[in-house]
Amino acid sequence: MTDRNPTPGRIQKAPENFLSPEKMEQARRARRSFMGKALAMGAGASAATVAGAARADDPAIVKLPAHTTGLGQPVAARGYGSPSQWERNLQRRESPGLTRVSAASVSFAPLQGMFGIITPNGLHFERHHQGWWDIDPSQHRLMINGLVKEARVFTMDELMRLPQVSRIHFIECGANTGMEWGNVAVPTVQYTHGMLSCCEYTGVLLSTLLDMCGADTKKGRYVLAEGADGSSMTRTIPMANALDDVMIAWAMNGEMLRPENGYPLRLVVPGIQGVSWVKYLRRLEVGDKPYDAKDEVLHYVDLMPDGTHRQYTSLQEVKSVITTPSGGQVLLDKGYYNVTGLAWSGRGRIKRVDVSVDGGRNWRTARLENPVLPKALTRFNVDWVWDGSPAVLQSRAIDETGHVQPRLNQLRAVRGTRSIYHNNGIQSWKVAESGEVFNVQLN
Ligand SMILES: Nc1nc2c(c(=O)[nH]1)N[C@H]1C(S)=C(S)[C@@H](COP(=O)(O)O)O[C@H]1N2
Ligand SMILES: [Mo]
């Protein structure tokens, strides 16, 4: 902790659906009544939402609850394990601020309630352009054609017998944090940054498959990847990436992919925006020019201030966000807080993360948790003693290539405010005197 070694403060976790003013007001009322009750009953009254402070005469220490004397659940009742009933509130969710267009939808990962760098499979964000499918792997095929000596078709069994690798990488939708381009300050980190996840993927390197088919990697400067769902998702992958670290993955976090994440096969394109990570992957074509597919011409282009569009800006630049304390949470006491967050860069490893508690005037270097891996999330922590006065928390990441995360207004000076994609600006969380944390756009 710090020199003064103060008592750790308590945080009220964000009630998740915080978007409408009515919901905000409901939550404020709930908090006021909780604080009243907590004072009357002593801390620990609502352990589910508040990290309670134990007292020496706390009844929870001496009372023997049923679980210390009774018989527990037998193993069979659990089957495939699921989280504790007390963690029910931690879920991926659709943003109340976004309209769902038929099956074209997004669910956001609850970054505010996650630890370390790995996203559990049931909390991985989802982005479907035309709904998800649970495809029979015995019927699924992967075809490789185009500028190859021998076009081939693989079954899942054939693919899964090839030399395999397991690697940890982040996936971020290019539209993550897109609402912040304008002056829409989305209330919680789940909805500002939750189109972000990080898993250990297992599969075969694309370079292995290209080699097996005798791909012409000189003339063939691009690979087209095509999905088997109705969204006709096709994306151009530069050959340089294809020969480097692109994977054909069937597993994430030690088990087969989940249907919503592309079961039984997806492309993993480390450092590149999520849309190129084609799910339900069924075909790869080696070609000599970019394919200009609909998702490269109509969508996933950056609208610039002069009205032109930037195309093929696929790399996810260096970025970070503080996940606790973050929007919607409430600091209930003055005192010590472990400020924690995530940093990542599509260019490689995170070198350093700086944290400011005064809106960017002064910066301190955060502690990076191990491992610090290329093109993966990196967890950072910094000590902070809140003195009860208003504060603005920010984090700024720097990657190993020297790229520095920009301020939002530095980005806007170049990119304007009408873009959707590739917002890697510094996020500001304002801690009010009341302890409530708000998303603000200062600079
Ligand atoms: N076949 C197919 N692949 C797809 C998509 C899709 O709709 N269909 N969505 C893309 C987009 S826009 C993103 S951000 C990622 C999301 O991956 P996830 O749903 O596993 O989080 O998958 C990409 N691959
Ligand atoms: Mo996306």
Side-chain angles (χ1 to χ4, degrees), residues 40-101:
M41 295 164 63
S46 181
T49 49
V50 174
R55 299 189 323 246
D57 60 347
D58 189 334
I61 300 170
V62 287
K63 197 175 67 186
L64 284 189
H67 60 252
T68 58
T69 53
L71 197 57
Q73 311 274 346
V75 283
R78 302 279 297 178
Y80 189 102
S82 47
S84 161
Q85 59 171 317
W86 309 107
E87 304 300 332
R88 268 193 300 244
N89 205 30
L90 192 74
Q91 291 177 17
R92 50 188 175 196
R93 291 172 194 272
E94 289 179 86
S95 170
L98 290 176
T99 319
R100 185 202 290 184
V101 185

Side-chain angles (χ1 to χ4, degrees), residues 127 129 173-175 195 274-275 300:
R127 172 73 178 100
H129 290 240
C173 176
M195 284 196 280
V275 66
Y300 299 93

Side-chain angles (χ1 to χ4, degrees), residues 107 124-131 171-175 195 197 201 226-235 252 258 260-262 266-267 273-281 295 300:
S107 72
H124 195 290
F125 85 95
E126 299 162 84
R127 172 73 178 100
H128 315 303
H129 290 240
Q130 198 62 264
I171 170 173
E172 182 182 24
C173 176
M195 284 196 280
S197 294
Y201 296 96
E226 179 184 276
D229 56 328
S231 71
S232 308
M233 180 56 69
T234 46
R235 291 284 307 183
M252 67 191 222
R258 294 283 172 96
E260 57 272 36
N261 304 114
R266 94 174 300 169
L267 202 64
Q273 62 179 340
V275 66
S276 291
W277 297 45
V278 174
K279 301 190 275 193
Y280 320 108
L281 183 70
D295 284 286
Y300 299 93

Side-chain angles (χ1 to χ4, degrees), residues 116-118 168 349-350 368-374 376-379:
I117 60 170
I118 298 292
I168 296 174
R349 287 185 176 77
I350 289 298
L368 303 186
E369 286 185 17
N370 280 323
V372 177
L373 300 169
L377 295 186
T378 294
R379 171 68 61 176

Side-chain angles (χ1 to χ4, degrees), residues 4-53:
R4 286 183 289 159
N5 203 20
T7 311
R10 298 170 304 149
I11 287 188
Q12 183 181 353
K13 296 292 162 54
E16 309 298 335
N17 280 322
F18 235 5
L19 276 197
S20 64
E22 302 78 58
K23 285 239 167 72
M24 291 288 272
E25 190 42 44
Q26 268 169 22
R28 284 209 188 100
R29 273 202 300 276
R31 172 177 174 257
R32 276 196 293 270
S33 88
F34 163 77
M35 301 268 273
K37 276 194 211 118
L39 285 176
M41 295 164 63
S46 181
T49 49
V50 174

